[in-house]
Amino acid sequence: QVISRQEMFVIMAKLFVGADYDFSAVDLTSLDNFTDGSAVSEWAKPYTAYLISVGAVVGDNNELRPRDNITRAEMAVIICNYLS
């Protein structure tokens, strides 16, 4: 079963900071830096914005492609970016 990039963003953000983190306090304006930032589903916006704020998600050609399927390689990049 494949999952979308935004679904992976949610999973990774929750794994990185834990279930107690208040994602409702995340500033969503970083999504505006991407041409398709408004395409991120409402439920995924705070998690995606969090990953952008910590440099784990940098986009591709100024796009997040939130509804595209994510590859294992793309997931590995997100994990490496977060850990470094």
Side-chain angles (χ1 to χ4, degrees):
Q1 177 95 16
V2 297
I3 64 172
S4 70
R5 292 170 58 85
Q6 68 184 353
E7 289 170 319
M8 179 55 71
F9 296 157
V10 172
I11 292 166
M12 299 310 294
K14 287 181 178 182
L15 283 173
F16 290 154
V17 297
D20 296 334
Y21 188 83
D22 182 13
F23 285 98
S24 67
V26 173
D27 180 9
L28 303 181
T29 58
S30 62
L31 296 171
D32 297 336
N33 296 328
F34 298 89
T35 58
D36 60 351
S38 62
V40 177
S41 298
E42 288 299 317
W43 53 266
K45 284 184 178 183
Y47 305 97
T48 305
Y50 168 78
L51 291 176
I52 292 167
S53 73
V54 297
V57 169
V58 295
D60 181 30
N61 290 323
N62 208 33
E63 292 181 329
L64 294 168
R65 301 184 342 259
R67 296 174 194 244
D68 288 0
N69 294 332
I70 193 163
T71 66
R72 285 178 274 203
E74 290 169 325
M75 185 184 76
V77 169
I78 291 170
I79 293 169
C80 287
N81 285 347
Y82 184 80
L83 294 176
S84 62

